[in-house]
Structure formats: structure tokens, C-alpha cells
Amino acid sequence: HLPGLCEETVTALVVPDPNGVYVDGTFGRGGHTRAILKALSPKGRLHAFDMDPEAIKVGKKLMEEDARFTVHHAPFSSMIKVLKSVGVEAGSVA
């Protein structure tokens, strides 16, 4: 599986601000997440959401490999509440 529009997404959203905080609303197996992490600076952060227990296993392994990344076992519809609980205020897409 190749993540759709992955390069375009990273170029448009992450490259302009590699120090930002980003959210992958549907982690899946982490295709977009890995690409975003490659583009982030050491200060950048990435949170991902998924409900699939297998996806969460993959995400937890990636968390062990990269401290800039956090996976949340929660629906993306709860992202504002979940992010707020870890000190991340909701922003907007530039």
C-alpha cells in the first residue's frame, strides 16, 4: 500500500513549518506518519489517531523509535479533547 498524495501532503503542510505540531487522523500503518516524521525538525511533534488495535501496535513501536511521535487509541473525532489533555491546543491548517 502506498499512501495517497503523501509527498504533496508533506510538502504543503510540513515543509513550511518543520517545528510545528501535526496530527495524522487515520494512522493506519503509518505511511503518512513516517513521511511527516522525516520532514519534521527535532522540535516538531506528531500525534496520530486510530481505533484498529493492530494499527496501535504499529504506532506504539514507532513511538519507541521516535520521541517526537505519539499514537492515540481514540477516534479522530475526539482529537481536540485528547490533544488538549496532553497540552496541545487545537490550531488550524494554514
Side-chain angles (χ1 to χ4, degrees):
H1 170 75
L2 296 175
L5 298 172
C6 190
E7 183 178 335
E8 295 84 350
T9 300
V10 171
T11 299
L13 298 177
V14 182
V15 171
D17 183 9
N19 296 321
V21 177
Y22 296 91
V23 176
D24 182 344
T26 53
F27 177 74
R29 294 303 179 263
H32 282 92
T33 292
R34 285 181 179 83
I36 292 168
L37 287 169
K38 284 181 185 177
L40 284 180
S41 76
K43 293 180 181 181
R45 297 290 177 261
L46 176 60
H47 293 264
F49 289 77
D50 212 297
M51 289 299 295
D52 177 5
E54 292 301 314
I56 297 302
K57 285 181 189 178
V58 173
K60 286 185 176 183
K61 183 175 180 190
L62 186 55
M63 279 177 61
E64 293 173 6
E65 298 169 6
D66 196 322
R68 301 171 301 166
F69 175 67
T70 305
V71 67
H72 303 278
H73 191 180
F76 62 80
S77 61
S78 70
M79 74 174 57
I80 291 173
K81 180 180 177 182
V82 171
L83 292 172
K84 188 173 184 179
S85 75
V86 296
V88 177
E89 289 298 321
S92 63
V93 175

